[in-house]
Amino acid sequence: MSPYMHLAEFQPISAPTAVKIVEAAGQLFLQRGYKAVSINEIIRAAEVTKPTLYYYFSDKEQLFVQMGLRVLAEMGERLQGALQLPDELPLRLVAVAAVLLDDRDNNMRMMRHEMMTHLGPAQRALLGQAFFVQIFRPIVQMMEQALAEGAVTRYPAPALAKMFMGLADSFHEFAHAPAHPDNASHEALFGPCELGPQELVDLFLHGVGRKTSEAV
């Protein structure tokens, strides 16, 4: 995947009527899944005619891709805001973790599942490239800066970015898990679930064990 791809290549469609259609389709896709939604339902939800929809979009797959580009662009914008904070690395990492753990990013996880299940290779590749440009590459750049400053060591920036994002995925599963039917008993056995941005960053930077020597 080329590191020289630009954000402009992956911006979602901006025509007002097209945006209205994508938003209506996106709500249906996220509520019911790609396969369960028909073009006619999207037309009714968007309050447009069939010729209007097909003027902007060739098929349902293209609509889903546009929804995905919107989700990634919105998340990427929030991520850029976090990365531009003038704070030291731990505070920037907490801000980035907050973006990755945001409940809105359930949309991205659902989109990823539906994309792999229902879209063709070309459309999957397009969304994968958009994810690389909007989300992964900025985090890699942050890790490159952290390595240059000596704030992190040992691993190359892409590996550090993957580790950080992998932790975020795991934390997200716990942070947004459905309430247990017997919360009192559940917490008595496993303790309260307090896995947020600060805990993620602490684990990423310091681990969970105590070093016994510098060689560890």
Side-chain angles (χ1 to χ4, degrees):
M1 190 174 292
S2 170
Y4 302 108
M5 292 180 294
H6 299 290
L7 279 175
E9 299 177 51
F10 303 103
Q11 291 302 310
I13 194 168
S14 59
T17 301
V19 170
K20 178 182 176 182
I21 296 169
V22 172
E23 289 178 345
Q27 289 181 0
L28 292 171
F29 289 144
L30 294 172
Q31 289 169 2
R32 298 167 51 197
Y34 178 84
K35 191 173 181 180
V37 178
S38 71
I39 285 289
N40 286 336
E41 289 173 314
I42 295 170
I43 288 167
R44 288 194 294 270
E47 299 180 335
V48 296
T49 65
K50 185 172 287 190
T52 298
L53 183 144
Y54 282 116
Y55 175 79
Y56 291 103
F57 307 103
S58 59
D59 53 25
K60 190 170 75 168
E61 190 175 49
Q62 189 180 12
L63 271 167
F64 188 91
V65 169
Q66 281 295 320
M67 179 203 74
L69 292 177
R70 286 182 64 80
V71 169
L72 290 168
E74 289 167 2
M75 186 177 176
E77 185 175 350
R78 287 183 280 132
L79 187 61
Q80 287 295 335
L83 290 171
Q84 290 170 13
L85 293 175
D87 299 307
E88 295 180 354
L89 176 68
L91 294 177
R92 288 202 308 274
L93 285 173
V94 168
V96 170
V99 173
L100 296 178
L101 294 177
D102 194 303
D103 193 36
R104 286 175 291 183
D105 299 321
N106 276 324
N107 293 350
M108 191 179 75
R109 287 161 175 79
M110 177 272 183
M111 180 190 77
R112 188 165 56 195
H113 173 269
E114 295 292 289
M115 173 187 81
M116 297 306 297
T117 304
H118 300 295
L119 298 191
Q123 305 294 4
R124 291 200 303 269
L126 175 62
L127 287 175
Q129 291 165 354
F131 176 85
F132 175 84
V133 171
Q134 295 276 18
I135 311 300
F136 184 67
R137 187 167 67 186
I139 296 178
V140 170
Q141 290 168 345
M142 178 180 66
M143 296 302 177
E144 288 173 344
Q145 180 180 349
L147 284 166
E149 295 170 352
V152 294
T153 59
R154 298 181 60 188
Y155 298 99
L160 290 168
K162 290 177 182 178
M163 292 177 195
F164 189 76
M165 296 176 73
L167 280 175
D169 269 343
S170 299
F171 273 49
H172 197 282
E173 292 299 320
F174 285 100
H176 300 294
H180 194 275
D182 186 356
N183 284 325
S185 298
H186 189 260
E187 288 197 3
L189 286 172
F190 302 107
C193 181
E194 298 179 354
L195 298 177
Q198 186 63 59
E199 290 74 24
L200 190 158
V201 172
D202 183 65
L203 179 61
F204 176 75
L205 290 177
H206 308 296
V208 296
R210 176 181 296 176
K211 282 189 175 183
T212 56
S213 73
E214 289 300 317
V216 174

